[in-house]
Structure formats: structure tokens, C-alpha cells
Amino acid sequence: MQSHIQADIRTAVLDPLSITPDQTARLRGQRCARCGAAENLRPGGYAYTASEGQGRLGWVVKVCRTCPSWGAR
């Protein structure tokens, strides 16, 4: 299994103009929001991207079975 470990995307509001392909997959629920794994995914809370003005857009994300769904590292 290839390691995709990067920062948990739930820790900050992401800039939509600088989102990486890995972050996009995590936002879409295709990968774990916490570690980036692509298997055994379950609901994992929300991640946010900045929207026009001062708002933010919430994304329902998933986490893998080995990562806790609560808290962000």
C-alpha cells in the first residue's frame, strides 16, 4: 500500500485556488481526510474551502477504519 500521509484536510480552511489533486480526492470522499488511504472509508466529518467573500464551503468527508473520525491532527 502506498503511503499518502499528509496533513489532515479538516485542520484548516483550504484555498480553492491551491488545492492539490490529493486534497481534491479527500474532499470528494475518495480518500481518507486524515491519512489519504483509499480503502475502508466511513463518514468522517467536514472539511472546508474558502468561498467568495469571507464565507466557507463545507464538504462531507470520509476517514478510513484505522483513523478516528473525531479530531484532526
Side-chain angles (χ1 to χ4, degrees):
M1 180 169 91
Q2 184 178 357
S3 176
H4 293 281
I5 296 176
Q6 291 182 358
D8 188 330
I9 65 166
R10 299 172 297 169
T11 61
V13 176
L14 301 172
D15 178 357
L17 299 177
S18 60
I19 292 176
T20 66
D22 177 67
Q23 290 170 327
T24 299
R26 292 175 189 220
L27 286 172
R28 291 181 177 167
Q30 298 165 333
R31 295 195 169 276
C32 175
R34 191 169 183 128
C35 74
E39 299 173 356
N40 297 316
L41 300 174
R42 60 191 169 91
Y46 295 88
Y48 298 92
T49 54
S51 65
E52 227 174 285
Q54 299 295 339
R56 60 186 190 159
L57 177 63
W59 298 72
V60 178
V61 296
K62 296 181 180 178
V63 292
C64 66
R65 295 276 175 211
T66 58
C67 287
S69 59
W70 44 266
R73 66 174 137 164

